[in-house]
């Protein structure tokens, strides 16, 4: 594989919306890599087959020469009869040859062992010819493998990938690279044996010399081929070296398995005899009727289990055999996953690897990603990439952005794979206050707390680009922060403080059709509340894995109406109080997400329920800013949040004409309840410094929700008049409450300003009465 020196990245690449939708970068890298791999495979196999054809031709010629010497020894030599007859004539006809029975050929007997020698030479020649034939066929197979079909680049890409998968599935490289040379080498071994036997018919001393050399060469070759069992990178490999190492491991495993089976058999037989003896004693000497009936029930259950096992077992085996024998073709999504794995496991181009990691984060199919998670080579490759990138960031090269970008991309890809396909272990606090050694399982890989910490650090690295605000990266980083906080706070018997995780999602960029981030955050809020609502004495025993499982299920979920319902449930907790309640910035974010442009899967009633809850949020903030411990910054932030709530409702009604027609029917009762609650708060604490800002909020509400205009109802819609009356009634009630609250607030603020005029300059400079300035 050629290593390309690529230019350093200066900004974070964008995550594509769909797989491969990254400007063609991934497919460009994949096509280059696939072309290089296929060309390397074809060249190596072609060179192998060319060498086999040359050697097989020379070997067949040598073998044929020996067969020309040994085959005539299987039958009588007619030249000897001719020589005997000529000798008889030369001697004057006085000889013992009086008939054909007296000829030398009549008493011919083949030499001892010549039949075996000819058989071995013939088999050797047949193997050489057969290997030559397979080599010619192999070259034709290679031509078909590299043959381009019609269609565009995408069609040719997937067609070539399917040919590659077919070659891997049917072991083309194994057949041409191992089987064909093995046949030729087997023919050479048989030829050597036949050659030694043939020499034995000529000279025993010559046979010993040549046989010793042949045996020595065979021992050396066999010894070199077994070195692979100890070192997989040993260069002395033969075609059968491929099976030496697995065979060694299989033999060791087989011996261990036989020992375990022997122990298990002894234990099983012993328990069987003990159980049989007990049953016999109970059967012939029953203690009471209840015990006898109990044992009869046990025997019936065992017979039923035996029948089910031996009747359903063959059926399941037959179904598995059919599913394995009848293979369905790969789908386009499967081909994309295979292409991604091929790039990740074989490429050394960091841009190609990063493009694969970015496209991996787009895949949300748990079944497709499970195949990658179970692949040890892919999993180890990806973990090695993010670990190496994180190590580079720790070496003080802060002036270079490329290591940080690589650490972010590879860590995020591994975290995505972990959350989608990983399984959470049972995490329960113990009195020993020890952190769990293993948090999750990813295939055969165990995830430890140190890896969770590294993944959290890597996925949260500043990305030097727009990716900081995308919902996918924010969702992934939020999940990893929650997991890391759960692990780090495992020694604490109280519910985990998730404020650091919540801070990372405040202000995240969201899209109109994406509720995923809000759904994940809402799931964590509800799980955290469930944890905090438990008995304080049992905080420690509450399983942390419950929260992580709900977090991962939310991350894996596909967009549907259930997400909106979960977010609405989380918004309804704004008035509840619990130990680890998130800040109002989170509730504002969820509220905005719910009121983004209309979604088809969400009903109007669900939207109205969210809008009608705006009073709960406004009142909650009103109480917060009027708290005696609230700072000036807290008060200003609270008023900004109230304005954001109001603006979200205004934008919602402005974007949807259907909803704007009944705006006051929906929002009127909620605003009325808010005004009533503010009135009660003002009466409880008259003259509060926040009264002036409350008036500003009321002005904002009054200007944002205009008076409904009277419209004459057409004759074909007789119910429209009553509907407009309801809107008018809701608006008039709102105006009445608003005027009453205005008068009360103005009277209190005027008296406070009058008292402030007589205060000294020191108190004015201190800012105690900032509202009167």
């Amino acid at each position: 594989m050629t290593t390309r020196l690529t230019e350093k990245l200066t900004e974070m690449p964008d995550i594509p919306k769909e797989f491969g939708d990254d400007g063609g970068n991934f497919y460009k890298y994949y096509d280059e890599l696939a072309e290089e791999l296929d060309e390397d495979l074809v060249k190596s196999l072609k060179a192998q087959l060319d060498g086999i054809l040359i050697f097989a031709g020379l070997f067949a010629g040598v073998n044929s020469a020996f067969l020309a010497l040994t085959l005539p020894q299987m039958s009588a030599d007619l030249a000897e009869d001719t020589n005997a007859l000529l000798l008889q004539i030369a001697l004057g006809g006085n000889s013992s040859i009086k008939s054909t029975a007296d000829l030398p050929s009549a008493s011919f007997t083949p030499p001892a062992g010549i039949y075996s020698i000819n058989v071995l030479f013939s088999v050797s020649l047949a193997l050489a010819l057969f290997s030559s034939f397979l080599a010619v066929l192999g070259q034709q197979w290679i031509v078909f493998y590299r043959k381009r079909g019609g269609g565009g680049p995408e069609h040719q890409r997937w067609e070539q990938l399917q040919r590659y998968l077919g070659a891997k599935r049917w072991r083309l490289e194994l057949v041409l690279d191992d089987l064909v040379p093995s046949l030729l080498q087997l023919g050479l071994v048989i030829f050597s044996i036949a050659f030694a036997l043939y020499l034995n018919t000529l000279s025993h001393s010559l046979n010993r010399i040549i046989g010793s050399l042949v045996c020595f060469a065979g021992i050396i070759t066999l010894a070199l081929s077994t070195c692979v069992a100890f070192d997989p990178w040993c260069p002395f490999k033969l075609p059968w070296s491929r099976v030496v190492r697995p065979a060694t491991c299989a033999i060791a495993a087989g011996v261990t398995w036989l020992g375990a089976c022997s122990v298990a058999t002894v234990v099983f037989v012993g328990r069987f005899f003990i159980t049989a003896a007990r049953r016999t004693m109970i059967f012939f000497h029953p203690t009471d009727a209840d015990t006898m009936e109990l044992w009869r029930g046990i025997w019936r259950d065992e017979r039923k289990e035996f029948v089910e096992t031996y009747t359903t077992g063959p059926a399941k085996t037959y179904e598995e055999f059919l599913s394995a024998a009848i293979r369905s073709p790969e789908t386009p999504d499967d081909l994309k996953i295979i292409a991604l794995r091929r790039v990740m496991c074989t490429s050394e181009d960091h841009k190609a690897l990063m493009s694969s990691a970015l496209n991996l984060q787009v895949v949300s199919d748990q079944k497709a990603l499970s195949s990658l998670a179970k692949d040890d080579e892919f999993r180890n490759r990806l973990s090695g990439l993010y670990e190496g990138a994180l190590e580079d960031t720790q070496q003080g090269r802060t002036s270079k952005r490329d290591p940080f970008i690589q650490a972010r991309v590879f860590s995020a890809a591994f975290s995505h794979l972990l959350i989608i396909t990983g399984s959470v272990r049972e995490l329960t606090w113990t009195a020993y206050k020890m952190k769990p050694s293993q948090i999750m399982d990813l295939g055969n890989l165990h995830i430890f707390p140190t890896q969770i910490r590294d993944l959290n650090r890597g996925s949260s690295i500043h990305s030097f680009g727009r990716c900081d605000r995308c919902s996918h990266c924010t969702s992934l980083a939020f999940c990893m922060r929650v997991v890391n906080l759960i692990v780090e706070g495992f020694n604490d018997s109280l519910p985990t403080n998730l404020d650091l995780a919540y801070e990372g999602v405040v202000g995240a960029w969201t899209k109109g059709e994406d509720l995923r981030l809000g759904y994940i955050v809402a799931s964590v809020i509800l799980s955290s509340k469930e944890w905090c609502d438990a008995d304080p004495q049992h905080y420690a025993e509450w399983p942390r894995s419950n929260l992580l499982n709900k977090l991962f299920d939310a991350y894996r979920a596909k967009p549907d109406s259930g997400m909106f319902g979960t977010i609405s449930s989380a918004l309804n907790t704004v008035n509840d109080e619990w130990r680890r309640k998130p800040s109002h910035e989170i509730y504002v974010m969820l509220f905005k997400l719910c009121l983004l442009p209309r979604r088809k899967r969400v009903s109007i009633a669900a939207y109205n329920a969210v809008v009608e809850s705006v009073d709960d949020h406004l009142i909650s903030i009103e109480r917060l800013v009027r708290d005696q411990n609230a700072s000036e910054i807290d008060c200003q932030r609270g008023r900004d949040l109230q304005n954001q709530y109001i603006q979200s409702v205004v934008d919602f009604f402005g974007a949807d004409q259907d909803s704007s027609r009944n705006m006051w029917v929906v929002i009127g009762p909620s605003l009325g309840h808010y005004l009533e609650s503010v009135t009660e708060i003002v009466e409880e604490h008259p003259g509060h410094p926040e009264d002036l800002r409350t008036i500003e909020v009321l002005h904002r509400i009054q200007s944002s929700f205009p008076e409904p205009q009277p419209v004459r109802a057409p004759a074909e819609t007789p119910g429209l008049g009553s509907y407009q009356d309801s809107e008018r009634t809701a608006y008039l009630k709102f105006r009445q409450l608003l005027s009453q609250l205005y008068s009360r607030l103005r009277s209190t603020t005027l008296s406070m300003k009058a008292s402030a005029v007589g205060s000294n300059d020191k108190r004015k400079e201190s800012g105690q009465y900032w509202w009167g300035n």
Side-chain angles (χ1 to χ4, degrees), residues 92 142 162 177 205 475 532 555 623 702:
I142 291 175
Q162 287 177 323
D177 206 16
S205 59
S475 301
C532 295
Y555 186 85
R623 295 185 184 278
Q702 182 180 5

Side-chain angles (χ1 to χ4, degrees), residues 94-112:
N94 297 323
S95 179
S96 59
I97 301 177
K98 298 179 180 180
S99 64
T100 56
D102 297 330
L103 292 174
S105 59
S107 60
F108 172 78
T109 302

Side-chain angles (χ1 to χ4, degrees), residues 148 327 593:
R148 295 289 185 181
R327 192 190 66 83
L593 278 172

Side-chain angles (χ1 to χ4, degrees), residues 304-375:
K304 182 178 179 181
E305 182 180 359
F306 176 83
V307 172
E308 291 178 352
T309 301
Y310 287 93
T311 54
T312 60
K316 292 182 180 180
T317 304
Y318 177 72
E319 292 177 358
E320 293 176 358
F321 173 77
L322 287 181
S323 61
I326 304 175
R327 192 190 66 83
S328 58
E330 292 85 2
T331 62
D333 294 336
D334 295 335
L335 293 176
K336 292 177 182 178
I337 294 297
I338 295 171
L340 189 147
R341 181 198 176 280
R342 196 178 183 189
V343 174
M344 185 65 71
C345 294
T346 56
S347 179
E348 294 297 335
D349 186 355
H350 277 278
K351 282 192 174 181
L353 294 173
M354 291 180 65
S355 179
S356 300
L358 290 172
N359 281 275
L360 174 64
Q361 300 179 48
V362 181
V363 182
S364 58
D365 186 6
Q366 189 172 3
K367 182 179 179 181
L369 291 180
S370 296
S371 62
L372 297 178
K374 296 176 182 177
D375 191 335

Side-chain angles (χ1 to χ4, degrees), residues 373-632:
K374 296 176 182 177
D375 191 335
D376 294 339
E377 182 181 4
F378 178 86
R379 193 179 58 242
N380 295 334
R381 173 70 165 170
L382 185 56
S383 62
L385 287 172
Y386 89 77
E387 289 172 359
L390 285 175
E391 184 178 355
D392 291 341
T393 60
Q394 295 176 350
Q395 294 179 357
R397 294 183 293 178
T398 55
S399 61
K400 297 181 180 180
R401 295 182 175 183
D402 190 66
F404 292 93
I405 296 176
Q406 291 183 22
R408 171 71 176 266
V409 172
F410 295 134
S411 299
F414 192 89
S415 301
H416 177 76
L417 183 66
L418 177 65
I419 296 175
I420 293 292
T421 63
S423 58
V424 182
R425 286 178 170 263
E426 189 68 26
L427 304 178
T428 305
W429 186 85
T430 60
Y432 297 104
K433 296 185 179 181
M434 296 176 60
K435 291 184 180 180
S437 59
Q438 299 174 3
I439 307 300
M440 299 179 62
D441 292 327
L442 181 63
N444 298 326
L445 181 66
H446 302 305
I447 306 300
F448 297 91
T450 54
Q451 294 172 287
I452 295 294
R453 184 177 63 250
D454 292 340
L455 288 172
N456 174 58
R457 183 166 58 87
S459 59
S460 303
I461 289 178
H462 184 61
S463 63
F464 309 103
R466 296 186 301 273
C467 191
D468 282 337
R469 295 299 183 185
C470 80
S471 59
H472 172 80
C473 291
T474 308
S475 301
L476 188 62
F478 175 75
C479 292
M480 293 311 301
R481 287 193 188 100
V482 172
V483 177
N484 185 62
L485 290 172
I486 292 292
V487 175
E488 293 296 331
F490 194 80
N491 291 345
D492 191 359
S493 61
L494 297 176
T496 303
N497 188 357
L498 303 177
D499 288 344
L500 291 177
Y502 291 133
E503 290 175 2
V505 299
V506 174
W509 175 68
T510 56
K511 291 182 280 189
E513 294 297 329
D514 188 7
L515 284 175
R516 188 176 180 217
L517 176 60
Y519 177 61
I520 295 172
V521 175
S523 300
V524 173
I525 291 176
L526 295 176
S527 298
S528 177
K529 185 177 184 301
E530 179 184 350
W531 187 356
C532 295
D533 286 344
D535 188 353
Q537 297 180 355
H538 300 284
Y539 278 160
E541 288 78 8
W542 198 83
R544 275 81 164 165
S545 52
N546 287 357
L547 191 149
L548 295 183
N549 282 323
K550 291 183 179 180
L551 171 68
F552 292 170
D553 290 340
Y555 186 85
R556 299 165 184 167
K558 296 181 179 180
D560 59 1
S561 58
M563 289 187 175
F564 194 93
T566 302
I567 298 176
S568 300
S569 300
L571 288 174
N572 292 333
T573 64
V574 66
N575 287 330
D576 299 334
E577 295 295 334
W578 71 90
R579 183 182 294 270
R580 302 304 187 188
K581 182 180 179 180
S583 63
H584 277 280
E585 283 83 354
I586 298 296
Y587 285 99
V588 170
M589 186 194 74
L590 297 179
F591 193 83
K592 289 181 178 180
L593 278 172
C594 287
L595 297 186
L596 284 174
R598 179 76 181 276
R599 300 173 181 86
K600 296 180 180 179
R601 292 184 293 268
V602 181
S603 63
I604 298 178
Y607 277 113
N608 292 340
V610 175
V611 174
E612 291 170 358
S613 67
V614 68
D615 58 323
D616 295 333
H617 300 275
L618 296 177
I619 294 170
S620 179
I621 296 176
E622 189 71 33
R623 295 185 184 278
L624 178 65
V625 298
R626 290 174 176 271
D627 188 87
Q628 60 181 357
N629 296 323
S631 62
E632 173 65 17

Side-chain angles (χ1 to χ4, degrees), residues 202-248:
L202 301 179
S203 172
H204 293 289
S205 59
L206 184 61
N207 177 46
R208 293 189 186 95
I209 295 173
I210 300 301
S212 300
L213 293 177
V214 171
C215 291
F216 180 74
I219 293 172
I220 292 297
T221 304
L222 185 62
L224 290 177
S225 64
T226 55
C227 293
V228 183
F230 307 99
D231 185 6
W233 301 106
C234 175
F236 310 117
K237 294 183 179 181
L238 293 175
W240 59 78
S241 299
R242 193 187 296 264
V243 299
V244 171
R245 188 174 181 85
T248 305

Side-chain angles (χ1 to χ4, degrees), residues 103-152:
L103 292 174
S105 59
S107 60
F108 172 78
T109 302
I114 196 65
Y115 178 79
S116 301
I117 292 173
N118 279 286
V119 169
L120 293 176
F121 276 134
S122 300
V123 171
S124 176
L125 178 61
L127 289 175
L129 295 176
F130 185 59
S131 62
S132 301
F133 175 69
L134 287 180
V136 174
L137 281 180
Q139 290 187 337
Q140 295 178 356
W141 296 337
I142 291 175
V143 171
F144 172 75
Y145 177 77
R146 293 294 290 164
K147 186 177 181 181
R148 295 289 185 181

